[in-house]
Amino acid sequence: VAVDILGKSFNINCPKGHEAELKGAAEYLNNQMRELRASGKIIGLEKIAIIAALNLSHDLLASRRYARTSEQQLRELTSQLDSALGQHSKVS
């Protein structure tokens, strides 16, 4: 699959059926790198790529932490609900 990142074309191997996902990921990365380049604070393609990768990694890890926290909260609420329903059925 051919993808374009900062005006350079790259041919990337991709499992059949996942081409759209790859193109979407490449477009997202391209946008992130363009924003970094446009800020003028970072010079050089390699540095832009590394900062973009670090930003994306940070976002991914933050999302995973949020998902784990949400899952734990959901388990606690479910447990409380089960307990409350159990007590209610004993009273009835």
Side-chain angles (χ1 to χ4, degrees):
V1 176
V3 297
D4 185 67
I5 307 289
L6 291 182
K8 294 186 179 188
S9 184
F10 297 91
N11 289 317
I12 309 293
N13 288 330
C14 177
K16 191 169 186 131
H18 294 273
E19 297 85 357
E21 292 172 6
L22 174 61
K23 287 184 178 188
E27 182 178 343
Y28 186 78
L29 176 61
N30 187 45
N31 290 337
Q32 295 296 307
M33 291 178 70
R34 281 184 181 192
E35 287 178 20
L36 287 168
R37 184 176 64 184
S39 75
K41 296 177 183 177
I42 303 166
I43 298 174
L45 182 59
E46 187 175 290
K47 285 185 180 180
I48 290 171
I50 290 170
I51 298 300
L54 286 172
N55 288 342
L56 294 171
S57 295
H58 174 267
D59 292 347
L60 173 65
L61 293 174
S63 294
R64 286 182 178 175
R65 279 191 301 274
Y66 177 78
R68 279 195 301 269
T69 301
S70 296
E71 187 177 335
Q72 288 172 337
Q73 290 173 338
L74 183 58
R75 278 194 211 119
E76 290 172 11
L77 288 172
T78 301
S79 176
Q80 291 173 2
L81 183 59
D82 288 344
S83 178
L85 289 173
Q87 290 175 359
H88 178 70
S89 65
K90 288 179 184 176
V91 173
S92 298

